[in-house]
Amino acid sequence: MDRTFILTAELDPVSFAWLDGLRREHFPPERNLLPAHLTLFHRLSSAQTGRLDDFTVPAAPIAIRCDGVRLLGFGVAIEVRSSELERLRAALRTAMGGDFSRQDSQGWRPHVTIQNKATAAVARGLHDELQIKFAPRAGAVIGLLIWEYLGGPWRPAGRMPFG
């Protein structure tokens, strides 16, 4: 059976610390197996990730903006905006080729999940609380991270720093 991989954007240290702190505070601890992450692709084959060896990454960090709080039904996420990151994702998709999962073939709405698998009422409460005090924040993507999916937890499988 072919291994499954996930591709995420590596966040700058300040953004990562803020988002991971929110995740540790609000994600059910028994289900929080991962650090905060901004997923670019959820399910890739080893052939697809192998094609990244020839991919030219950006020469500098990509600016992002954490600009809203999104209710996920049973969780909450921080929305991320960046037209440059969207262009990079499109270029990665072309470079990797092959078949993509249904989730990866749908429209991409970048976000970092800080709560999931909560009750709808708990999620709504957190969303409303964060919405009141939320202020947009600038940040950056400083590289790409490749993870091997292990049926729950992930194992680092590669890093592609920018610049």
mmCIF file of all heavy atoms in Angstrom, residues 63-93:
data_model
loop_
_atom_site.group_PDB
_atom_site.id
_atom_site.type_symbol
_atom_site.label_atom_id
_atom_site.label_comp_id
_atom_site.label_asym_id
_atom_site.label_seq_id
_atom_site.Cartn_x
_atom_site.Cartn_y
_atom_site.Cartn_z
ATOM 1 N N ALA A 63 3.937 36.683 2.122
ATOM 2 C CA ALA A 63 3.106 37.383 3.103
ATOM 3 C C ALA A 63 1.719 36.748 3.161
ATOM 4 O O ALA A 63 1.129 36.398 2.133
ATOM 5 C CB ALA A 63 2.992 38.861 2.740
ATOM 6 N N ILE A 64 1.218 36.594 4.376
ATOM 7 C CA ILE A 64 -0.155 36.133 4.595
ATOM 8 C C ILE A 64 -0.823 37.090 5.569
ATOM 9 O O ILE A 64 -0.160 37.873 6.242
ATOM 10 C CB ILE A 64 -0.217 34.684 5.148
ATOM 11 C CG1 ILE A 64 0.503 34.579 6.502
ATOM 12 C CG2 ILE A 64 0.320 33.691 4.129
ATOM 13 C CD1 ILE A 64 0.297 33.245 7.220
ATOM 14 N N ARG A 65 -2.127 36.984 5.646
ATOM 15 C CA ARG A 65 -2.887 37.779 6.606
ATOM 16 C C ARG A 65 -3.900 36.866 7.281
ATOM 17 O O ARG A 65 -4.708 36.230 6.607
ATOM 18 C CB ARG A 65 -3.589 38.925 5.904
ATOM 19 C CG ARG A 65 -4.293 39.871 6.839
ATOM 20 C CD ARG A 65 -4.535 41.195 6.107
ATOM 21 N NE ARG A 65 -5.218 42.152 6.943
ATOM 22 C CZ ARG A 65 -4.620 42.960 7.802
ATOM 23 N NH1 ARG A 65 -3.315 42.914 7.935
ATOM 24 N NH2 ARG A 65 -5.305 43.812 8.518
ATOM 25 N N CYS A 66 -3.812 36.764 8.581
ATOM 26 C CA CYS A 66 -4.821 36.053 9.367
ATOM 27 C C CYS A 66 -5.914 37.085 9.601
ATOM 28 O O CYS A 66 -5.701 38.054 10.332
ATOM 29 C CB CYS A 66 -4.214 35.557 10.677
ATOM 30 S SG CYS A 66 -2.879 34.373 10.445
ATOM 31 N N ASP A 67 -7.046 36.901 8.919
ATOM 32 C CA ASP A 67 -7.992 38.021 8.909
ATOM 33 C C ASP A 67 -9.415 37.699 9.318
ATOM 34 O O ASP A 67 -10.309 38.496 9.072
ATOM 35 C CB ASP A 67 -7.971 38.720 7.559
ATOM 36 C CG ASP A 67 -8.630 37.932 6.456
ATOM 37 O OD1 ASP A 67 -8.906 36.731 6.654
ATOM 38 O OD2 ASP A 67 -8.873 38.513 5.390
ATOM 39 N N GLY A 68 -9.633 36.581 9.966
ATOM 40 C CA GLY A 68 -10.981 36.305 10.414
ATOM 41 C C GLY A 68 -11.080 34.999 11.180
ATOM 42 O O GLY A 68 -10.137 34.201 11.211
ATOM 43 N N VAL A 69 -12.231 34.811 11.782
ATOM 44 C CA VAL A 69 -12.534 33.603 12.545
ATOM 45 C C VAL A 69 -13.649 32.883 11.795
ATOM 46 O O VAL A 69 -14.656 33.490 11.438
ATOM 47 C CB VAL A 69 -12.992 33.949 13.981
ATOM 48 C CG1 VAL A 69 -13.279 32.691 14.773
ATOM 49 C CG2 VAL A 69 -11.953 34.810 14.683
ATOM 50 N N ARG A 70 -13.453 31.595 11.519
ATOM 51 C CA ARG A 70 -14.437 30.816 10.763
ATOM 52 C C ARG A 70 -15.018 29.713 11.636
ATOM 53 O O ARG A 70 -14.278 28.938 12.248
ATOM 54 C CB ARG A 70 -13.783 30.201 9.539
ATOM 55 C CG ARG A 70 -14.777 29.394 8.699
ATOM 56 C CD ARG A 70 -14.136 28.687 7.534
ATOM 57 N NE ARG A 70 -13.344 29.584 6.726
ATOM 58 C CZ ARG A 70 -12.372 29.166 5.920
ATOM 59 N NH1 ARG A 70 -12.067 27.890 5.815
ATOM 60 N NH2 ARG A 70 -11.685 30.035 5.212
ATOM 61 N N LEU A 71 -16.331 29.627 11.664
ATOM 62 C CA LEU A 71 -17.018 28.533 12.345
ATOM 63 C C LEU A 71 -17.028 27.335 11.406
ATOM 64 O O LEU A 71 -17.447 27.442 10.254
ATOM 65 C CB LEU A 71 -18.439 28.947 12.715
ATOM 66 C CG LEU A 71 -19.274 27.918 13.473
ATOM 67 C CD1 LEU A 71 -18.650 27.599 14.827
ATOM 68 C CD2 LEU A 71 -20.694 28.447 13.656
ATOM 69 N N LEU A 72 -16.572 26.191 11.915
ATOM 70 C CA LEU A 72 -16.503 24.973 11.110
ATOM 71 C C LEU A 72 -17.630 23.992 11.427
ATOM 72 O O LEU A 72 -17.590 22.859 10.983
ATOM 73 C CB LEU A 72 -15.152 24.273 11.333
ATOM 74 C CG LEU A 72 -13.899 25.073 10.984
ATOM 75 C CD1 LEU A 72 -12.651 24.300 11.398
ATOM 76 C CD2 LEU A 72 -13.868 25.409 9.508
ATOM 77 N N GLY A 73 -18.596 24.395 12.199
ATOM 78 C CA GLY A 73 -19.660 23.493 12.623
ATOM 79 C C GLY A 73 -19.346 22.914 13.987
ATOM 80 O O GLY A 73 -19.995 23.230 14.967
ATOM 81 N N PHE A 74 -18.324 22.068 14.048
ATOM 82 C CA PHE A 74 -17.901 21.459 15.310
ATOM 83 C C PHE A 74 -16.491 21.917 15.687
ATOM 84 O O PHE A 74 -15.774 21.228 16.398
ATOM 85 C CB PHE A 74 -17.973 19.934 15.212
ATOM 86 C CG PHE A 74 -19.376 19.451 14.983
ATOM 87 C CD1 PHE A 74 -19.794 19.109 13.709
ATOM 88 C CD2 PHE A 74 -20.282 19.373 16.026
ATOM 89 C CE1 PHE A 74 -21.094 18.678 13.479
ATOM 90 C CE2 PHE A 74 -21.583 18.957 15.809
ATOM 91 C CZ PHE A 74 -21.998 18.607 14.535
ATOM 92 N N GLY A 75 -16.117 23.076 15.183
ATOM 93 C CA GLY A 75 -14.808 23.625 15.472
ATOM 94 C C GLY A 75 -14.689 25.047 14.969
ATOM 95 O O GLY A 75 -15.646 25.628 14.450
ATOM 96 N N VAL A 76 -13.492 25.596 15.129
ATOM 97 C CA VAL A 76 -13.222 26.984 14.764
ATOM 98 C C VAL A 76 -11.854 27.044 14.107
ATOM 99 O O VAL A 76 -10.933 26.320 14.484
ATOM 100 C CB VAL A 76 -13.244 27.889 16.024
ATOM 101 C CG1 VAL A 76 -12.844 29.310 15.701
ATOM 102 C CG2 VAL A 76 -14.628 27.856 16.664
ATOM 103 N N ALA A 77 -11.729 27.931 13.123
ATOM 104 C CA ALA A 77 -10.453 28.125 12.438
ATOM 105 C C ALA A 77 -10.173 29.612 12.287
ATOM 106 O O ALA A 77 -11.084 30.442 12.325
ATOM 107 C CB ALA A 77 -10.490 27.462 11.065
ATOM 108 N N ILE A 78 -8.904 29.915 12.093
ATOM 109 C CA ILE A 78 -8.485 31.263 11.745
ATOM 110 C C ILE A 78 -8.278 31.276 10.232
ATOM 111 O O ILE A 78 -7.524 30.456 9.688
ATOM 112 C CB ILE A 78 -7.181 31.658 12.480
ATOM 113 C CG1 ILE A 78 -7.356 31.568 13.994
ATOM 114 C CG2 ILE A 78 -6.719 33.050 12.043
ATOM 115 C CD1 ILE A 78 -8.422 32.473 14.583
ATOM 116 N N GLU A 79 -8.965 32.194 9.559
ATOM 117 C CA GLU A 79 -8.865 32.302 8.108
ATOM 118 C C GLU A 79 -7.554 32.963 7.712
ATOM 119 O O GLU A 79 -7.075 33.876 8.383
ATOM 120 C CB GLU A 79 -10.031 33.126 7.564
ATOM 121 C CG GLU A 79 -11.362 32.470 7.804
ATOM 122 C CD GLU A 79 -12.533 33.326 7.365
ATOM 123 O OE1 GLU A 79 -12.402 34.566 7.309
ATOM 124 O OE2 GLU A 79 -13.588 32.742 7.074
ATOM 125 N N VAL A 80 -6.993 32.493 6.605
ATOM 126 C CA VAL A 80 -5.738 33.018 6.086
ATOM 127 C C VAL A 80 -5.971 33.494 4.655
ATOM 128 O O VAL A 80 -6.612 32.796 3.871
ATOM 129 C CB VAL A 80 -4.634 31.937 6.125
ATOM 130 C CG1 VAL A 80 -3.357 32.427 5.484
ATOM 131 C CG2 VAL A 80 -4.390 31.473 7.557
ATOM 132 N N ARG A 81 -5.431 34.661 4.342
ATOM 133 C CA ARG A 81 -5.562 35.213 2.991
ATOM 134 C C ARG A 81 -4.169 35.510 2.432
ATOM 135 O O ARG A 81 -3.319 36.050 3.130
ATOM 136 C CB ARG A 81 -6.350 36.518 3.008
ATOM 137 C CG ARG A 81 -7.709 36.403 3.591
ATOM 138 C CD ARG A 81 -8.775 36.225 2.527
ATOM 139 N NE ARG A 81 -10.073 36.261 3.158
ATOM 140 C CZ ARG A 81 -10.822 35.203 3.394
ATOM 141 N NH1 ARG A 81 -10.406 34.027 3.051
ATOM 142 N NH2 ARG A 81 -11.997 35.317 3.970
ATOM 143 N N SER A 82 -3.979 35.163 1.158
ATOM 144 C CA SER A 82 -2.759 35.505 0.448
ATOM 145 C C SER A 82 -2.906 35.080 -1.007
ATOM 146 O O SER A 82 -2.952 33.878 -1.295
ATOM 147 C CB SER A 82 -1.537 34.815 1.054
ATOM 148 O OG SER A 82 -0.402 35.007 0.224
ATOM 149 N N SER A 83 -2.980 36.049 -1.900
ATOM 150 C CA SER A 83 -3.074 35.701 -3.321
ATOM 151 C C SER A 83 -1.786 35.036 -3.798
ATOM 152 O O SER A 83 -1.817 34.143 -4.642
ATOM 153 C CB SER A 83 -3.413 36.935 -4.157
ATOM 154 O OG SER A 83 -2.462 37.945 -3.941
ATOM 155 N N GLU A 84 -0.648 35.426 -3.236
ATOM 156 C CA GLU A 84 0.616 34.811 -3.618
ATOM 157 C C GLU A 84 0.666 33.340 -3.185
ATOM 158 O O GLU A 84 1.150 32.480 -3.926
ATOM 159 C CB GLU A 84 1.780 35.594 -3.001
ATOM 160 C CG GLU A 84 3.128 35.204 -3.567
ATOM 161 C CD GLU A 84 4.270 36.043 -3.027
ATOM 162 O OE1 GLU A 84 4.032 37.041 -2.326
ATOM 163 O OE2 GLU A 84 5.423 35.668 -3.300
ATOM 164 N N LEU A 85 0.136 33.043 -2.008
ATOM 165 C CA LEU A 85 0.091 31.652 -1.550
ATOM 166 C C LEU A 85 -0.871 30.837 -2.418
ATOM 167 O O LEU A 85 -0.595 29.678 -2.731
ATOM 168 C CB LEU A 85 -0.314 31.580 -0.080
ATOM 169 C CG LEU A 85 -0.265 30.199 0.563
ATOM 170 C CD1 LEU A 85 1.139 29.591 0.508
ATOM 171 C CD2 LEU A 85 -0.742 30.273 2.008
ATOM 172 N N GLU A 86 -1.961 31.428 -2.854
ATOM 173 C CA GLU A 86 -2.885 30.737 -3.756
ATOM 174 C C GLU A 86 -2.205 30.411 -5.080
ATOM 175 O O GLU A 86 -2.384 29.311 -5.620
ATOM 176 C CB GLU A 86 -4.139 31.580 -3.966
ATOM 177 C CG GLU A 86 -5.017 31.636 -2.733
ATOM 178 C CD GLU A 86 -6.269 32.480 -2.927
ATOM 179 O OE1 GLU A 86 -6.725 32.646 -4.085
ATOM 180 O OE2 GLU A 86 -6.804 32.954 -1.917
ATOM 181 N N ARG A 87 -1.401 31.347 -5.606
ATOM 182 C CA ARG A 87 -0.663 31.080 -6.849
ATOM 183 C C ARG A 87 0.362 29.965 -6.649
ATOM 184 O O ARG A 87 0.539 29.107 -7.520
ATOM 185 C CB ARG A 87 0.006 32.354 -7.356
ATOM 186 C CG ARG A 87 -0.978 33.356 -7.950
ATOM 187 C CD ARG A 87 -0.282 34.504 -8.669
ATOM 188 N NE ARG A 87 0.503 35.348 -7.776
ATOM 189 C CZ ARG A 87 0.023 36.359 -7.071
ATOM 190 N NH1 ARG A 87 -1.277 36.665 -7.153
ATOM 191 N NH2 ARG A 87 0.804 37.087 -6.298
ATOM 192 N N LEU A 88 1.028 29.977 -5.487
ATOM 193 C CA LEU A 88 1.993 28.915 -5.205
ATOM 194 C C LEU A 88 1.296 27.558 -5.153
ATOM 195 O O LEU A 88 1.792 26.578 -5.708
ATOM 196 C CB LEU A 88 2.713 29.184 -3.880
ATOM 197 C CG LEU A 88 3.657 28.066 -3.416
ATOM 198 C CD1 LEU A 88 4.804 27.864 -4.409
ATOM 199 C CD2 LEU A 88 4.184 28.359 -2.029
ATOM 200 N N ARG A 89 0.137 27.501 -4.514
ATOM 201 C CA ARG A 89 -0.586 26.226 -4.431
ATOM 202 C C ARG A 89 -0.959 25.725 -5.825
ATOM 203 O O ARG A 89 -0.839 24.537 -6.120
ATOM 204 C CB ARG A 89 -1.830 26.354 -3.561
ATOM 205 C CG ARG A 89 -2.532 25.009 -3.344
ATOM 206 C CD ARG A 89 -3.757 25.153 -2.465
ATOM 207 N NE ARG A 89 -4.386 23.875 -2.205
ATOM 208 C CZ ARG A 89 -5.281 23.289 -3.017
ATOM 209 N NH1 ARG A 89 -5.643 23.863 -4.153
ATOM 210 N NH2 ARG A 89 -5.799 22.124 -2.684
ATOM 211 N N ALA A 90 -1.389 26.620 -6.694
ATOM 212 C CA ALA A 90 -1.749 26.232 -8.065
ATOM 213 C C ALA A 90 -0.515 25.698 -8.803
ATOM 214 O O ALA A 90 -0.599 24.693 -9.526
ATOM 215 C CB ALA A 90 -2.356 27.422 -8.800
ATOM 216 N N ALA A 91 0.634 26.339 -8.612
ATOM 217 C CA ALA A 91 1.871 25.874 -9.254
ATOM 218 C C ALA A 91 2.293 24.510 -8.703
ATOM 219 O O ALA A 91 2.756 23.641 -9.458
ATOM 220 C CB ALA A 91 2.978 26.905 -9.051
ATOM 221 N N LEU A 92 2.127 24.316 -7.405
ATOM 222 C CA LEU A 92 2.441 23.015 -6.793
ATOM 223 C C LEU A 92 1.539 21.925 -7.366
ATOM 224 O O LEU A 92 2.006 20.822 -7.686
ATOM 225 C CB LEU A 92 2.272 23.088 -5.276
ATOM 226 C CG LEU A 92 3.345 23.848 -4.519
ATOM 227 C CD1 LEU A 92 2.849 24.227 -3.121
ATOM 228 C CD2 LEU A 92 4.632 23.024 -4.431
ATOM 229 N N ARG A 93 0.282 22.220 -7.516
ATOM 230 C CA ARG A 93 -0.680 21.248 -8.060
ATOM 231 C C ARG A 93 -0.259 20.814 -9.471
ATOM 232 O O ARG A 93 -0.271 19.636 -9.801
ATOM 233 C CB ARG A 93 -2.079 21.858 -8.055
ATOM 234 C CG ARG A 93 -3.148 20.924 -8.540
ATOM 235 C CD ARG A 93 -4.514 21.623 -8.503
ATOM 236 N NE ARG A 93 -5.500 20.789 -9.120
ATOM 237 C CZ ARG A 93 -6.219 19.885 -8.483
ATOM 238 N NH1 ARG A 93 -6.066 19.699 -7.199
ATOM 239 N NH2 ARG A 93 -7.089 19.156 -9.135
#
